[in-house]
């Protein structure tokens, strides 16, 4: 079983690679486009994947940050993230993983409770952001003590009404 | 002109939106071009309607003429009705005479009038050997109610007829009988298919939906025929699951084809199956009686929505055959029982 490890490759020179994992391709694409519009100290690359494990590839650079995207309207997207988490090495969770939950704004459409993702993020000791990609508003969920990579700031910055 | 007929004219013309007034009146073809020119179409609608009703009175318009106008209006606004589909059949090996439209109409009218003394029946021929029939129901003692008619669209070269759903359901068996006998069939059966979009129902039932209008060039690479997902131009975004995405696209195209899907608003599944559970025990697992459950999928365009599910990542491909069989089987109402 292939497992993603944070330090199994050499870092690229002045590059940062983010991996977005989620079932809804259009959502990931939107997020990636927004991230790339931000100024970044390093050269930013975004990989989009439906789930883990990733297909084997020697050319893939080292992944610096994984964002798991859950759509609260879809139990399928939560299940997909839960299964993908098994393919990530434990050391990744020391500040290189984040969770993004979308769709909290439309309560009536939510089939996944917010507390479910809160508990999930807590279990994996990783930060959680609530976001609504259709509406330009963002609430930042709890998670003290996590790293702030450049790319991570970009995720926050794309929604100007957002505070940490 | 009879007061009730004048009122019927007034209410029918009032229904017509101002923007369509000229088009519909021309399609009705009762008032001549010259007569229409004498009317001021720029005045307030109530006054316009009064002028038009006066014109009709002068021309001695009958109840039937008003009914034909009603048919024309409905033909332009067919989406306002919900249509059911009926299929007729003959005994095997029976000789089929050449269809005679006039004889059909005479026979249909005779059967209904014999059963119900008061009923208004009007016909309007349409293209593809079809006829639109408007029926206003009355009873032995009551005059027909012109404001709750039923419409039937019968394609004479086929065993299919489409009827607008009506709340007055008691007359439907009689209607079915009249259709069957007049068209020289033996049996009529209601299909489990219903929608507002008459043209889509036609396409499903006559199997006309799977025609592509553009030339099918099989050498075009698959990603150029993607279902609306933009080809990613930014080289900094890498899709890890490109192969899987292409597989999903391919499976979706194979199931749904390249053509636009016929339009339905819902699919309904009635389950009468026993509860099956992986967990041992549990309250529902011991039940002998089937669990009754109704699942309804609604959408402004159900089949296009189903087609978009797998590429959007909301469902796995291939989709359940219960969903994909809808146009093939010509059904959007299903009853599922244990085998």
């Amino acid at each position: 079983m292939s497992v993603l490890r944070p330090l199994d490759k050499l870092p690229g020179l002045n590059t940062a690679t983010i991996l977005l994992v989620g079932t809804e391709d259009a959502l990931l694409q939107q997020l990636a486009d927004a991230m790339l519009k931000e100024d970044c100290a390093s050269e930013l690359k975004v990989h989009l994947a439906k789930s883990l494990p990733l297909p084997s590839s020697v050319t893939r650079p080292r992944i610096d940050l994984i964002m798991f995207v859950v759509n609260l309207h879809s139990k399928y997207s939560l299940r997909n993230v839960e299964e993908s988490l098994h393919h990530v090495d434990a050391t990744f969770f020391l500040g290189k993983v984040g969770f993004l939950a979308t769709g909290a704004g439309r309560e009536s459409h939510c089939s996944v409770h917010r507390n479910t993702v809160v508990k999930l993020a807590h279990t994996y000791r990783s930060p959680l952001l609530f976001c609504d990609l259709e509406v330009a508003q963002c609430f930042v969920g709890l998670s003290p003590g996590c790293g702030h990579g450049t790319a991570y700031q970009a995720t926050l910055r794309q929604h100007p009404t957002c505070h940490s | 002109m009879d007061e009730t007929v004048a009122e019927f004219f007034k209410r029918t013309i009032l229904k017509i939106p101002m923007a369509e007034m000229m088009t519909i009146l021309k399609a009705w073809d009762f008032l001549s071009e010259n007569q229409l020119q004498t009317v001021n179409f720029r005045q307030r609608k109530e006054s316009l309607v009064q002028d038009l009703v006066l014109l009709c009175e002068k021309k001695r318009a009958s109840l039937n003429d008003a009914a034909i106008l009603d048919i024309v209006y409905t033909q332009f606004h067919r989406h306002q009705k919900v249509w059911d589909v009926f299929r007729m059949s003959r005994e095997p090996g029976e000789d089929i005479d050449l269809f005679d439209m006039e004889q059909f109409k005479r026979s249909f009218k005779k059967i209904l009038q014999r059963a119900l003394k008061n009923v208004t029946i009007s016909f309007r021929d349409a293209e593809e050997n079809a006829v639109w029939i408007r029926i206003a129901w009355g009873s032995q003692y009551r005059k027909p109610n012109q404001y709750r008619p039923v419409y039937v669209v019968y394609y004479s070269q086929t065993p299919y007829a489409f009827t607008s759903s009506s709340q007055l359901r008691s007359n439907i068996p009689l209607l079915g009988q009249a259709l069957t006998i007049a068209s020289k069939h033996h049996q009529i059966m209601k299909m489990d298919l219903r929608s507002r979009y008459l043209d889509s129902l036609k396409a499903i039932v006559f199997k006309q939906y799977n025609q592509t209008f553009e030339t099918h060039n099989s050498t075009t690479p698959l990603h150029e025929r993607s279902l609306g997902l933009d080809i990613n131009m930014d080289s900094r975004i890498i899709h890890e699951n490109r192969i899987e995405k292409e597989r999903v696209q391919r499976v979706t195209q194979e199931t749904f084809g390249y053509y636009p899907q016929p339009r339905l608003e819902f699919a309904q599944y009635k389950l009468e199956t026993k509860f099956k559970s992986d967990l041992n025990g549990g309250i529902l697992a011991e039940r002998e009686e089937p669990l009754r459950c109704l699942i309804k999928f609604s959408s402004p365009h159900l089949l296009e929505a189903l087609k978009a599910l797998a590429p959007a990542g909301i469902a796995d491909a291939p989709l359940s055959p219960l969903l994909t069989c809808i146009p093939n089987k010509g059904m959007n109402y299903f009853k599922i029982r244990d085998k």
Side-chain angles (χ1 to χ4, degrees), chain B residues 98-122:
Chain B
L98 278 173
F99 183 79
D100 185 341
M101 183 59 88
E102 295 312 308
Q103 193 195 19
F104 166 78
K105 291 180 190 174
R106 271 196 307 268
S107 183
F108 184 82
K109 224 172 176 165
K110 212 167 28 153
I111 296 167
L112 284 184
Q113 281 170 339
R114 228 185 262 159
L116 294 168
K117 211 167 63 174
N118 290 307
V119 59
T120 311
I121 304 159
S122 320

PDB file of all heavy atoms in Angstrom, chain B residues 98-122:
ATOM      1  N   LEU B  98     -56.089   0.784 -43.677  1.00  0.00           N
ATOM      2  CA  LEU B  98     -55.502   2.124 -43.786  1.00  0.00           C
ATOM      3  C   LEU B  98     -56.240   3.059 -42.841  1.00  0.00           C
ATOM      4  O   LEU B  98     -57.454   3.006 -42.740  1.00  0.00           O
ATOM      5  CB  LEU B  98     -55.639   2.652 -45.208  1.00  0.00           C
ATOM      6  CG  LEU B  98     -54.586   2.186 -46.212  1.00  0.00           C
ATOM      7  CD1 LEU B  98     -54.946   2.639 -47.600  1.00  0.00           C
ATOM      8  CD2 LEU B  98     -53.199   2.712 -45.825  1.00  0.00           C
ATOM      9  N   PHE B  99     -55.472   3.902 -42.160  1.00  0.00           N
ATOM     10  CA  PHE B  99     -56.098   4.782 -41.174  1.00  0.00           C
ATOM     11  C   PHE B  99     -56.861   5.909 -41.859  1.00  0.00           C
ATOM     12  O   PHE B  99     -56.338   6.607 -42.712  1.00  0.00           O
ATOM     13  CB  PHE B  99     -55.016   5.357 -40.258  1.00  0.00           C
ATOM     14  CG  PHE B  99     -55.574   6.219 -39.168  1.00  0.00           C
ATOM     15  CD1 PHE B  99     -56.136   5.658 -38.038  1.00  0.00           C
ATOM     16  CD2 PHE B  99     -55.555   7.603 -39.282  1.00  0.00           C
ATOM     17  CE1 PHE B  99     -56.651   6.452 -37.028  1.00  0.00           C
ATOM     18  CE2 PHE B  99     -56.072   8.409 -38.290  1.00  0.00           C
ATOM     19  CZ  PHE B  99     -56.624   7.837 -37.160  1.00  0.00           C
ATOM     20  N   ASP B 100     -58.109   6.090 -41.438  1.00  0.00           N
ATOM     21  CA  ASP B 100     -58.935   7.152 -41.991  1.00  0.00           C
ATOM     22  C   ASP B 100     -59.211   8.165 -40.886  1.00  0.00           C
ATOM     23  O   ASP B 100     -59.971   7.879 -39.954  1.00  0.00           O
ATOM     24  CB  ASP B 100     -60.239   6.552 -42.522  1.00  0.00           C
ATOM     25  CG  ASP B 100     -61.107   7.588 -43.224  1.00  0.00           C
ATOM     26  OD1 ASP B 100     -60.912   8.808 -43.003  1.00  0.00           O
ATOM     27  OD2 ASP B 100     -61.993   7.177 -43.990  1.00  0.00           O
ATOM     28  N   MET B 101     -58.596   9.340 -40.997  1.00  0.00           N
ATOM     29  CA  MET B 101     -58.699  10.341 -39.925  1.00  0.00           C
ATOM     30  C   MET B 101     -60.145  10.771 -39.693  1.00  0.00           C
ATOM     31  O   MET B 101     -60.582  10.891 -38.555  1.00  0.00           O
ATOM     32  CB  MET B 101     -57.824  11.566 -40.279  1.00  0.00           C
ATOM     33  CG  MET B 101     -57.786  12.636 -39.198  1.00  0.00           C
ATOM     34  SD  MET B 101     -57.165  12.084 -37.610  1.00  0.00           S
ATOM     35  CE  MET B 101     -55.410  12.360 -37.786  1.00  0.00           C
ATOM     36  N   GLU B 102     -60.883  10.981 -40.767  1.00  0.00           N
ATOM     37  CA  GLU B 102     -62.262  11.467 -40.603  1.00  0.00           C
ATOM     38  C   GLU B 102     -63.123  10.423 -39.925  1.00  0.00           C
ATOM     39  O   GLU B 102     -63.965  10.725 -39.091  1.00  0.00           O
ATOM     40  CB  GLU B 102     -62.851  11.876 -41.960  1.00  0.00           C
ATOM     41  CG  GLU B 102     -62.146  13.075 -42.594  1.00  0.00           C
ATOM     42  CD  GLU B 102     -61.946  14.228 -41.615  1.00  0.00           C
ATOM     43  OE1 GLU B 102     -62.936  14.650 -40.976  1.00  0.00           O
ATOM     44  OE2 GLU B 102     -60.793  14.697 -41.452  1.00  0.00           O
ATOM     45  N   GLN B 103     -62.886   9.172 -40.279  1.00  0.00           N
ATOM     46  CA  GLN B 103     -63.674   8.099 -39.663  1.00  0.00           C
ATOM     47  C   GLN B 103     -63.328   7.986 -38.187  1.00  0.00           C
ATOM     48  O   GLN B 103     -64.200   7.786 -37.339  1.00  0.00           O
ATOM     49  CB  GLN B 103     -63.386   6.777 -40.373  1.00  0.00           C
ATOM     50  CG  GLN B 103     -64.389   5.706 -40.008  1.00  0.00           C
ATOM     51  CD  GLN B 103     -63.919   4.329 -40.394  1.00  0.00           C
ATOM     52  OE1 GLN B 103     -62.724   4.105 -40.617  1.00  0.00           O
ATOM     53  NE2 GLN B 103     -64.819   3.399 -40.464  1.00  0.00           N
ATOM     54  N   PHE B 104     -62.036   8.152 -37.870  1.00  0.00           N
ATOM     55  CA  PHE B 104     -61.607   8.115 -36.469  1.00  0.00           C
ATOM     56  C   PHE B 104     -62.340   9.187 -35.675  1.00  0.00           C
ATOM     57  O   PHE B 104     -62.888   8.929 -34.602  1.00  0.00           O
ATOM     58  CB  PHE B 104     -60.084   8.314 -36.381  1.00  0.00           C
ATOM     59  CG  PHE B 104     -59.594   8.630 -35.004  1.00  0.00           C
ATOM     60  CD1 PHE B 104     -59.463   7.633 -34.043  1.00  0.00           C
ATOM     61  CD2 PHE B 104     -59.274   9.935 -34.641  1.00  0.00           C
ATOM     62  CE1 PHE B 104     -59.016   7.932 -32.761  1.00  0.00           C
ATOM     63  CE2 PHE B 104     -58.829  10.247 -33.360  1.00  0.00           C
ATOM     64  CZ  PHE B 104     -58.705   9.237 -32.414  1.00  0.00           C
ATOM     65  N   LYS B 105     -62.355  10.401 -36.217  1.00  0.00           N
ATOM     66  CA  LYS B 105     -62.983  11.512 -35.501  1.00  0.00           C
ATOM     67  C   LYS B 105     -64.469  11.261 -35.294  1.00  0.00           C
ATOM     68  O   LYS B 105     -65.017  11.490 -34.217  1.00  0.00           O
ATOM     69  CB  LYS B 105     -62.781  12.825 -36.274  1.00  0.00           C
ATOM     70  CG  LYS B 105     -61.345  13.321 -36.302  1.00  0.00           C
ATOM     71  CD  LYS B 105     -61.255  14.613 -37.100  1.00  0.00           C
ATOM     72  CE  LYS B 105     -59.830  15.004 -37.356  1.00  0.00           C
ATOM     73  NZ  LYS B 105     -59.723  16.174 -38.244  1.00  0.00           N
ATOM     74  N   ARG B 106     -65.116  10.773 -36.346  1.00  0.00           N
ATOM     75  CA  ARG B 106     -66.563  10.525 -36.251  1.00  0.00           C
ATOM     76  C   ARG B 106     -66.834   9.477 -35.184  1.00  0.00           C
ATOM     77  O   ARG B 106     -67.691   9.634 -34.318  1.00  0.00           O
ATOM     78  CB  ARG B 106     -67.102   9.995 -37.595  1.00  0.00           C
ATOM     79  CG  ARG B 106     -67.544  11.077 -38.561  1.00  0.00           C
ATOM     80  CD  ARG B 106     -68.413  10.480 -39.657  1.00  0.00           C
ATOM     81  NE  ARG B 106     -67.781   9.354 -40.327  1.00  0.00           N
ATOM     82  CZ  ARG B 106     -67.036   9.440 -41.429  1.00  0.00           C
ATOM     83  NH1 ARG B 106     -66.829  10.623 -41.985  1.00  0.00           N
ATOM     84  NH2 ARG B 106     -66.493   8.358 -41.978  1.00  0.00           N
ATOM     85  N   SER B 107     -66.083   8.398 -35.253  1.00  0.00           N
ATOM     86  CA  SER B 107     -66.263   7.284 -34.338  1.00  0.00           C
ATOM     87  C   SER B 107     -65.999   7.715 -32.897  1.00  0.00           C
ATOM     88  O   SER B 107     -66.767   7.408 -31.983  1.00  0.00           O
ATOM     89  CB  SER B 107     -65.300   6.171 -34.775  1.00  0.00           C
ATOM     90  OG  SER B 107     -65.449   5.048 -33.991  1.00  0.00           O
ATOM     91  N   PHE B 108     -64.922   8.460 -32.680  1.00  0.00           N
ATOM     92  CA  PHE B 108     -64.543   8.931 -31.347  1.00  0.00           C
ATOM     93  C   PHE B 108     -65.661   9.778 -30.752  1.00  0.00           C
ATOM     94  O   PHE B 108     -66.085   9.574 -29.614  1.00  0.00           O
ATOM     95  CB  PHE B 108     -63.244   9.743 -31.471  1.00  0.00           C
ATOM     96  CG  PHE B 108     -62.668  10.211 -30.164  1.00  0.00           C
ATOM     97  CD1 PHE B 108     -61.890   9.362 -29.384  1.00  0.00           C
ATOM     98  CD2 PHE B 108     -62.899  11.503 -29.715  1.00  0.00           C
ATOM     99  CE1 PHE B 108     -61.364   9.786 -28.185  1.00  0.00           C
ATOM    100  CE2 PHE B 108     -62.367  11.941 -28.509  1.00  0.00           C
ATOM    101  CZ  PHE B 108     -61.597  11.077 -27.744  1.00  0.00           C
ATOM    102  N   LYS B 109     -66.149  10.695 -31.561  1.00  0.00           N
ATOM    103  CA  LYS B 109     -67.203  11.596 -31.104  1.00  0.00           C
ATOM    104  C   LYS B 109     -68.472  10.816 -30.751  1.00  0.00           C
ATOM    105  O   LYS B 109     -69.086  11.037 -29.709  1.00  0.00           O
ATOM    106  CB  LYS B 109     -67.528  12.588 -32.226  1.00  0.00           C
ATOM    107  CG  LYS B 109     -67.672  13.999 -31.772  1.00  0.00           C
ATOM    108  CD  LYS B 109     -67.809  14.959 -32.942  1.00  0.00           C
ATOM    109  CE  LYS B 109     -68.044  16.353 -32.388  1.00  0.00           C
ATOM    110  NZ  LYS B 109     -67.844  17.392 -33.366  1.00  0.00           N
ATOM    111  N   LYS B 110     -68.808   9.869 -31.625  1.00  0.00           N
ATOM    112  CA  LYS B 110     -70.043   9.105 -31.423  1.00  0.00           C
ATOM    113  C   LYS B 110     -69.994   8.333 -30.107  1.00  0.00           C
ATOM    114  O   LYS B 110     -70.961   8.327 -29.345  1.00  0.00           O
ATOM    115  CB  LYS B 110     -70.220   8.118 -32.595  1.00  0.00           C
ATOM    116  CG  LYS B 110     -71.675   7.865 -32.927  1.00  0.00           C
ATOM    117  CD  LYS B 110     -71.983   7.173 -34.230  1.00  0.00           C
ATOM    118  CE  LYS B 110     -70.952   6.239 -34.768  1.00  0.00           C
ATOM    119  NZ  LYS B 110     -71.551   5.201 -35.614  1.00  0.00           N
ATOM    120  N   ILE B 111     -68.847   7.698 -29.840  1.00  0.00           N
ATOM    121  CA  ILE B 111     -68.722   6.882 -28.628  1.00  0.00           C
ATOM    122  C   ILE B 111     -68.892   7.739 -27.382  1.00  0.00           C
ATOM    123  O   ILE B 111     -69.635   7.395 -26.459  1.00  0.00           O
ATOM    124  CB  ILE B 111     -67.365   6.142 -28.589  1.00  0.00           C
ATOM    125  CG1 ILE B 111     -67.276   5.153 -29.747  1.00  0.00           C
ATOM    126  CG2 ILE B 111     -67.171   5.425 -27.262  1.00  0.00           C
ATOM    127  CD1 ILE B 111     -65.892   4.609 -29.975  1.00  0.00           C
ATOM    128  N   LEU B 112     -68.245   8.895 -27.352  1.00  0.00           N
ATOM    129  CA  LEU B 112     -68.340   9.744 -26.161  1.00  0.00           C
ATOM    130  C   LEU B 112     -69.727  10.353 -26.023  1.00  0.00           C
ATOM    131  O   LEU B 112     -70.277  10.405 -24.920  1.00  0.00           O
ATOM    132  CB  LEU B 112     -67.285  10.858 -26.212  1.00  0.00           C
ATOM    133  CG  LEU B 112     -65.848  10.449 -25.884  1.00  0.00           C
ATOM    134  CD1 LEU B 112     -64.943  11.659 -25.868  1.00  0.00           C
ATOM    135  CD2 LEU B 112     -65.760   9.740 -24.546  1.00  0.00           C
ATOM    136  N   GLN B 113     -70.300  10.761 -27.133  1.00  0.00           N
ATOM    137  CA  GLN B 113     -71.611  11.406 -27.038  1.00  0.00           C
ATOM    138  C   GLN B 113     -72.702  10.428 -26.659  1.00  0.00           C
ATOM    139  O   GLN B 113     -73.686  10.791 -26.016  1.00  0.00           O
ATOM    140  CB  GLN B 113     -71.947  12.122 -28.350  1.00  0.00           C
ATOM    141  CG  GLN B 113     -71.228  13.446 -28.457  1.00  0.00           C
ATOM    142  CD  GLN B 113     -71.346  14.074 -29.818  1.00  0.00           C
ATOM    143  OE1 GLN B 113     -71.621  13.408 -30.816  1.00  0.00           O
ATOM    144  NE2 GLN B 113     -71.127  15.375 -29.880  1.00  0.00           N
ATOM    145  N   ARG B 114     -72.513   9.163 -27.037  1.00  0.00           N
ATOM    146  CA  ARG B 114     -73.489   8.151 -26.667  1.00  0.00           C
ATOM    147  C   ARG B 114     -73.443   7.901 -25.171  1.00  0.00           C
ATOM    148  O   ARG B 114     -74.468   7.663 -24.538  1.00  0.00           O
ATOM    149  CB  ARG B 114     -73.188   6.844 -27.413  1.00  0.00           C
ATOM    150  CG  ARG B 114     -74.412   6.239 -28.056  1.00  0.00           C
ATOM    151  CD  ARG B 114     -74.115   4.922 -28.673  1.00  0.00           C
ATOM    152  NE  ARG B 114     -73.880   5.030 -30.114  1.00  0.00           N
ATOM    153  CZ  ARG B 114     -73.218   4.118 -30.819  1.00  0.00           C
ATOM    154  NH1 ARG B 114     -72.678   3.081 -30.234  1.00  0.00           N
ATOM    155  NH2 ARG B 114     -73.076   4.275 -32.116  1.00  0.00           N
ATOM    156  N   ALA B 115     -72.249   7.951 -24.609  1.00  0.00           N
ATOM    157  CA  ALA B 115     -72.103   7.656 -23.179  1.00  0.00           C
ATOM    158  C   ALA B 115     -72.512   8.845 -22.319  1.00  0.00           C
ATOM    159  O   ALA B 115     -73.224   8.701 -21.324  1.00  0.00           O
ATOM    160  CB  ALA B 115     -70.668   7.266 -22.881  1.00  0.00           C
ATOM    161  N   LEU B 116     -72.055  10.040 -22.716  1.00  0.00           N
ATOM    162  CA  LEU B 116     -72.375  11.236 -21.936  1.00  0.00           C
ATOM    163  C   LEU B 116     -73.133  12.183 -22.844  1.00  0.00           C
ATOM    164  O   LEU B 116     -72.618  12.606 -23.861  1.00  0.00           O
ATOM    165  CB  LEU B 116     -71.092  11.951 -21.502  1.00  0.00           C
ATOM    166  CG  LEU B 116     -70.165  11.260 -20.518  1.00  0.00           C
ATOM    167  CD1 LEU B 116     -68.848  11.998 -20.465  1.00  0.00           C
ATOM    168  CD2 LEU B 116     -70.790  11.277 -19.136  1.00  0.00           C
ATOM    169  N   LYS B 117     -74.289  12.541 -22.471  1.00  0.00           N
ATOM    170  CA  LYS B 117     -75.067  13.403 -23.360  1.00  0.00           C
ATOM    171  C   LYS B 117     -74.362  14.738 -23.598  1.00  0.00           C
ATOM    172  O   LYS B 117     -74.322  15.250 -24.701  1.00  0.00           O
ATOM    173  CB  LYS B 117     -76.450  13.645 -22.742  1.00  0.00           C
ATOM    174  CG  LYS B 117     -77.526  13.845 -23.780  1.00  0.00           C
ATOM    175  CD  LYS B 117     -78.909  13.779 -23.183  1.00  0.00           C
ATOM    176  CE  LYS B 117     -79.107  14.900 -22.184  1.00  0.00           C
ATOM    177  NZ  LYS B 117     -80.501  14.944 -21.679  1.00  0.00           N
ATOM    178  N   ASN B 118     -73.788  15.292 -22.528  1.00  0.00           N
ATOM    179  CA  ASN B 118     -73.156  16.602 -22.640  1.00  0.00           C
ATOM    180  C   ASN B 118     -71.645  16.494 -22.633  1.00  0.00           C
ATOM    181  O   ASN B 118     -71.029  16.215 -21.601  1.00  0.00           O
ATOM    182  CB  ASN B 118     -73.571  17.480 -21.452  1.00  0.00           C
ATOM    183  CG  ASN B 118     -75.010  17.885 -21.542  1.00  0.00           C
ATOM    184  OD1 ASN B 118     -75.441  18.414 -22.554  1.00  0.00           O
ATOM    185  ND2 ASN B 118     -75.767  17.611 -20.485  1.00  0.00           N
ATOM    186  N   VAL B 119     -71.074  16.681 -23.818  1.00  0.00           N
ATOM    187  CA  VAL B 119     -69.613  16.694 -23.894  1.00  0.00           C
ATOM    188  C   VAL B 119     -69.225  17.485 -25.141  1.00  0.00           C
ATOM    189  O   VAL B 119     -69.880  17.388 -26.173  1.00  0.00           O
ATOM    190  CB  VAL B 119     -69.061  15.239 -23.908  1.00  0.00           C
ATOM    191  CG1 VAL B 119     -69.617  14.449 -25.086  1.00  0.00           C
ATOM    192  CG2 VAL B 119     -67.560  15.204 -23.909  1.00  0.00           C
ATOM    193  N   THR B 120     -68.219  18.319 -25.025  1.00  0.00           N
ATOM    194  CA  THR B 120     -67.750  19.103 -26.179  1.00  0.00           C
ATOM    195  C   THR B 120     -66.459  18.490 -26.687  1.00  0.00           C
ATOM    196  O   THR B 120     -65.496  18.355 -25.929  1.00  0.00           O
ATOM    197  CB  THR B 120     -67.446  20.565 -25.769  1.00  0.00           C
ATOM    198  OG1 THR B 120     -68.529  21.086 -25.039  1.00  0.00           O
ATOM    199  CG2 THR B 120     -67.180  21.416 -26.994  1.00  0.00           C
ATOM    200  N   ILE B 121     -66.455  18.111 -27.949  1.00  0.00           N
ATOM    201  CA  ILE B 121     -65.260  17.488 -28.528  1.00  0.00           C
ATOM    202  C   ILE B 121     -64.818  18.309 -29.727  1.00  0.00           C
ATOM    203  O   ILE B 121     -65.615  18.591 -30.621  1.00  0.00           O
ATOM    204  CB  ILE B 121     -65.556  16.051 -28.975  1.00  0.00           C
ATOM    205  CG1 ILE B 121     -66.092  15.240 -27.796  1.00  0.00           C
ATOM    206  CG2 ILE B 121     -64.293  15.389 -29.520  1.00  0.00           C
ATOM    207  CD1 ILE B 121     -66.853  14.018 -28.205  1.00  0.00           C
ATOM    208  N   SER B 122     -63.546  18.685 -29.730  1.00  0.00           N
ATOM    209  CA  SER B 122     -63.005  19.450 -30.866  1.00  0.00           C
ATOM    210  C   SER B 122     -61.704  18.819 -31.317  1.00  0.00           C
ATOM    211  O   SER B 122     -60.957  18.261 -30.510  1.00  0.00           O
ATOM    212  CB  SER B 122     -62.743  20.898 -30.457  1.00  0.00           C
ATOM    213  OG  SER B 122     -63.764  21.363 -29.628  1.00  0.00           O
TER     214      SER B 122
END
